[in-house]
Amino acid sequence: MQCGLLGRHLGHSYSPQIHAQLGSYDYELVEKEPEDVEAFLKSKCFQGLNVTIPYKKTALACCDELSAAAAQMGAVNTVVCRDGRLIGHNTDRFGFMYMLRASGLEAAGKKALVLGSGGASNTAVAVLRELGAEVVVISRSGENHYGNLKLHADAALIVNATPVGMYPNTGVSPVDLGIFPRLEGVLDLIYNPARTKLLLDAENRGLVAENGLSMLVAQAKESAEWFTGNKIADDVIETVLGSLRRRMENIILIGMPGCGKSTVAKLLSQALGRTAVDADAELEKHACRSIPDIITRDGEDAFRKLETKVLAQLGMQSGLIIATGGGCVTREENYPLLHQNGRIYYLTRDLEKLPTEGRPLSQSGRLSELYEARKPMYQRFADCTVSNDGTQEDTVRAIMEDMQ
Ligand code: NAP
């Protein structure tokens, strides 16, 4: 074995994709049960390993030698086998440093709250202190906890080093940002979803909001350097990040009923080799009824509630192309569901070209009135507006260019 990632459950790991772009070594996922970890490490049957929860402590104990960063952090996330000796490194330190720098936030002289007291918290605390921040750890069982956060209302930075808000338990936040009037930004070590509820709240308040993907890629870059002994330029981090973000981000299509969302989604799916899903079709499958039947028998409100449930399921996934129903923008609560992992494209099309057959909400009132009411909502949701008045191929090209 050359290199790999050691952990217990690694199904959703992005590390193989990242390392494939960082070096030409083989990179395997190695899932072990706790009782087998020590023997595996001591077998020294690898050149280099990344180690993730829950095995970072075991890795530290098995090493013959520690690098300066690993000794300072008291944690090992990278192990290299050299001349029969296991050398432990900590690349999370560099990863968190990079993330902080990428956010543009300054730590020196600022009060920073680090949520959680596990391994990642230790790294964040050490780095922030090294940079001159006053750091307070918020722990469910500590002196500073979630019940007395008001003592630290003067915080300028918040770092989330807990799993709260992580896929699949999205939509929850560890703290209410409303009590921090001097807050400048939030760093969330979670990278799936791309925007946790905590980061969406920060974004809504106009604060800096950085997710943990930059840390993940930066720590992998330094691990790759230890694996191969070759220096890799920091620019490579941005290249890998860009390709990963594009691959993970959902492409969400919104717009008036009949503006071409489903067809454009299918064409995008063919061009990008990604799965396209139609939210209305998913809803009908889930309800075992047609949408006209739900609206005429149960009313629009019941239909909208079902739609929100379907969008919650679809929005938390990654790498999908999602064609939404025309009215999904009428519920503000659908915005974070779509935005947490997605870039939202508003497809526009001349009203005369929109079909109304089989679309009860388009038929019920005048289409132009529906459009006037919804236009500001589409604009509010949209990250990018694309005209679908030309050919559908033009629309697909415009979306793909924007993604680059
Ligand atoms: P960990 O060692 O298990 O620590 C997590 C800490 O979060 C715990 O010590 C606990 O602190 C707190 N916590 C756990 N469950 C909680 C809950 N339900 N509510 C509130 N607090 C809770 O995990 P870790 O390795 O430090 O990782 C923490 C997070 O950082 C994870 O989401 C992980 O994916 C992420 N991470 C990201 C990167 C990256 O490269 N981006 C690297 C490492 C970790 P208290 O008991 O003190 O409250």
Side-chain angles (χ1 to χ4, degrees):
M1 175 179 172
Q2 283 189 311
C3 301
L5 173 64
L6 171 66
R8 194 165 188 190
H9 304 294
L10 302 171
H12 289 100
S13 173
Y14 296 121
S15 293
Q17 295 171 37
I18 296 172
H19 282 276
Q21 296 181 69
L22 291 171
S24 52
Y25 44 84
D26 289 334
Y27 192 91
E28 294 175 30
L29 295 179
V30 185
E31 291 187 344
K32 293 278 175 207
E33 288 305 309
E35 59 274 20
D36 300 326
V37 171
E38 192 176 331
F40 174 76
L41 284 164
K42 290 191 170 163
S43 73
K44 301 174 183 170
C45 63
F46 52 84
Q47 282 177 25
L49 267 189
N50 288 127
V51 184
T52 186
I53 32 176
Y55 300 139
K56 292 186 182 181
K57 285 205 171 105
T58 316
L60 177 94
C62 289
C63 285
D64 301 302
E65 202 179 305
L66 296 181
S67 69
Q72 185 201 352
M73 300 288 142
V76 161
N77 76 330
T78 302
V79 180
V80 173
C81 188
R82 288 272 177 279
D83 306 322
R85 288 171 64 75
L86 294 183
I87 304 161
H89 298 275
N90 184 306
T91 67
D92 280 340
R93 180 186 177 279
F94 172 76
F96 183 72
M97 280 269 188
Y98 189 91
M99 177 183 179
L100 183 62
R101 204 168 51 232
S103 75
L105 291 164
E106 279 295 331
K110 305 277 172 62
K111 182 163 186 174
L113 303 189
V114 177
L115 313 181
S117 64
S121 162
N122 290 346
T123 304
V125 169
V127 168
L128 288 165
R129 288 202 174 126
E130 198 179 316
L131 296 175
E134 178 201 342
V135 184
V136 178
V137 174
I138 306 296
S139 161
R140 288 167 301 174
S141 55
E143 177 192 342
N144 295 296
H145 51 81
Y146 297 91
N148 64 12
L149 279 176
K150 286 203 170 128
L151 293 175
H152 306 294
D154 54 340
L157 308 178
I158 291 182
V159 177
N160 179 32
T162 78
V164 179
M166 188 163 74
Y167 176 87
N169 303 311
T170 64
V172 286
S173 170
V175 291
D176 171 5
L177 297 183
I179 64 169
F180 304 104
R182 290 163 66 177
L183 197 62
E184 295 171 18
V186 175
L187 305 177
D188 196 331
L189 303 198
I190 294 170
Y191 45 85
N192 186 14
R195 297 174 196 86
T196 55
K197 172 144 181 18
L198 179 68
L199 290 183
L200 288 166
D201 289 350
E203 217 179 81
N204 273 341
R205 291 169 184 276
L207 303 170
V208 173
E210 179 82 19
N211 74 25
L213 199 62
S214 50
M215 174 171 172
L216 183 75
V217 175
Q219 66 76 26
K221 186 217 83 148
E222 203 191 25
S223 293
E225 291 176 341
W226 290 120
F227 292 162
T228 61
N230 298 327
K231 199 87 191 124
I232 301 171
D234 277 3
D235 299 0
V236 175
I237 298 172
E238 289 306 314
T239 309
V240 176
L241 260 176
S243 79
L244 209 58
R245 280 193 183 122
R246 280 193 292 278
R247 215 174 316 162
M248 286 165 67
E249 196 164 53
N250 291 326
I251 299 172
I252 317 260
L253 306 177
I254 61 169
M256 285 289 282
C259 74
K261 299 180 293 283
S262 301
T263 313
V264 169
K266 278 188 199 132
L267 291 174
L268 276 169
S269 162
Q270 286 161 14
L272 297 168
R274 289 204 201 176
T275 305
V277 283
D278 189 294
D280 281 352
E282 288 295 309
L283 188 151
E284 290 187 328
K285 207 159 68 185
H286 174 80
C288 301
R289 293 165 66 191
S290 73
I291 290 175
D293 180 54
I294 297 170
I295 292 176
T296 40
R297 284 178 36 207
D298 302 348
E300 187 182 349
D301 200 45
F303 161 63
R304 293 282 167 227
K305 283 185 181 143
L306 275 178
E307 182 179 50
T308 295
K309 268 194 183 168
V310 169
L311 296 179
Q313 274 308 312
L314 295 177
M316 72 165 81
Q317 295 178 46
S318 301
L320 292 180
I321 300 160
I322 305 173
T324 60
C328 75
V329 291
T330 57
R331 279 168 80 112
E332 181 60 24
E333 66 200 274
N334 291 338
Y335 177 70
L337 301 177
L338 297 173
H339 186 52
Q340 64 179 324
N341 253 342
R343 184 158 173 81
I344 304 176
Y345 291 91
Y346 169 27
L347 294 196
T348 60
R349 191 163 169 81
D350 283 346
L351 280 195
E352 311 83 75
K353 294 182 187 158
L354 299 182
T356 54
E357 211 181 303
R359 299 175 190 273
L361 296 179
S362 299
Q363 288 165 352
S364 63
R366 292 217 312 275
L367 200 59
S368 58
E369 281 170 21
L370 193 70
Y371 173 66
E372 286 311 320
R374 285 189 182 168
K375 186 177 163 191
M377 303 177 197
Y378 289 130
Q379 289 169 336
R380 145 88 185 103
F381 272 48
D383 291 304
C384 179
T385 299
V386 179
S387 161
N388 195 29
D389 281 319
T391 69
Q392 280 151 342
E393 286 70 22
D394 288 341
T395 308
V396 167
R397 206 170 304 120
I399 292 174
M400 286 171 63
E401 275 170 16
D402 172 77
M403 285 172 62
Q404 291 307 314

